[in-house]
Amino acid sequence: MDNHMKLEIPSKSQNEAFARVVVAAFAAQADPTIDEISDIKTAVSEAVTNAVIHGYENGFGTIIVTAALKDRRLEVSVTDYGVGIADVEQAREPLYTSKPELDRSGMGFTIMENFMDEFTLTSAPGKGTTVTMVKIFSQIKTGRDA
Amino acid sequence: MRMAGELDHHAVTGLRDKIDNKLTLDNLKNIIFNFSGVDFMDSSGLGMVLGRYKLVSAQGGKVLACSLRPRVQRVFDLSGLQAKIPVFLSEQEALKNV
């Protein structure tokens, strides 16, 4: 089954839940397990939260979420056009946060990397950030779309 | 502190102030976070718990957690937060260890 979606939302914290539920609903077409859906929801939540807090520093901006399903492979991208990340390697280190004063745990990228099968982070200071993540569904499809 | 629903950045923003106000007003020393009603948590939830740990432990208090559902447990495990915040199966068990 091939399918794709695109979601454009303003950088409001309310949209963190909205975006993760939308991607989870889209992914449900591939009959993933409950754990796989939960992994996707958590990873998308992390990426969108990063865009809100870090990309746009809690200000106004647009976030684009895209997802594509091909057979049992889901690819999700979250893009912002915010401040970008100067040191991508440092940002990916577990427990590193640029905003400790905001009670950030520094675990966002670590969760995305661990909960998804592939993870890429591209960013340019002043231009924005894109996180692309892939989940490969383990279960054989039950035949709903066969 | 019995929590329910989804602990993401949006939810944590309001919750954090409520907890901190209660800590100050009631002059509380320790916190037990009961996660029994929490069906979703991401790193923002972790950050909120870690932030309260920093506040409370600076005053000589303890932070404990209990009743984690498997999904919340998974996020907890990945973070290594249990080195600072002991996790118990039930609120009763956590109370015994305050």
Side-chain angles (χ1 to χ4, degrees), chain A residues 78-99:
Chain A
V78 177
T79 298
D80 70 66
Y81 305 100
V83 297
I85 303 168
D87 188 339
V88 168
E89 287 311 308
Q90 183 187 43
R92 288 177 68 154
E93 280 172 24
L95 305 176
Y96 171 79
T97 177
S98 59
K99 299 198 189 304

Side-chain angles (χ1 to χ4, degrees), chain B residues 21-85:
Chain B
N21 283 338
K22 184 141 185 72
L23 281 177
T24 317
L25 287 174
D26 297 351
N27 202 18
L28 301 176
K29 194 179 168 204
N30 307 303
I31 310 178
I32 298 172
F33 284 108
N34 184 333
F35 285 87
S36 61
V38 176
D39 42 34
F40 177 89
M41 181 176 86
D42 62 15
S43 72
S44 300
L46 285 176
M48 187 277 288
V49 174
L50 192 63
R52 307 292 71 63
Y53 167 80
K54 285 178 186 161
L55 277 180
V56 165
S57 61
Q59 306 297 320
K62 277 192 199 174
V63 174
L64 303 90
C66 70
S67 314
L68 275 64
R69 292 187 185 183
R71 288 305 308 180
V72 175
Q73 182 79 52
R74 181 156 151 78
V75 175
F76 240 80
D77 288 347
L78 192 61
S79 71
L81 206 62
Q82 291 185 44
K84 291 177 173 139
I85 297 160

Side-chain angles (χ1 to χ4, degrees), chain A residues 99-119:
Chain A
K99 299 198 189 304
E101 75 281 5
L102 292 183
D103 277 347
R104 305 308 307 163
S105 64
M107 289 301 292
F109 286 130
T110 307
I111 286 174
M112 291 182 239
E113 289 189 71
N114 275 274
F115 283 20
M116 302 294 274
D117 295 306
E118 292 170 30
F119 171 86

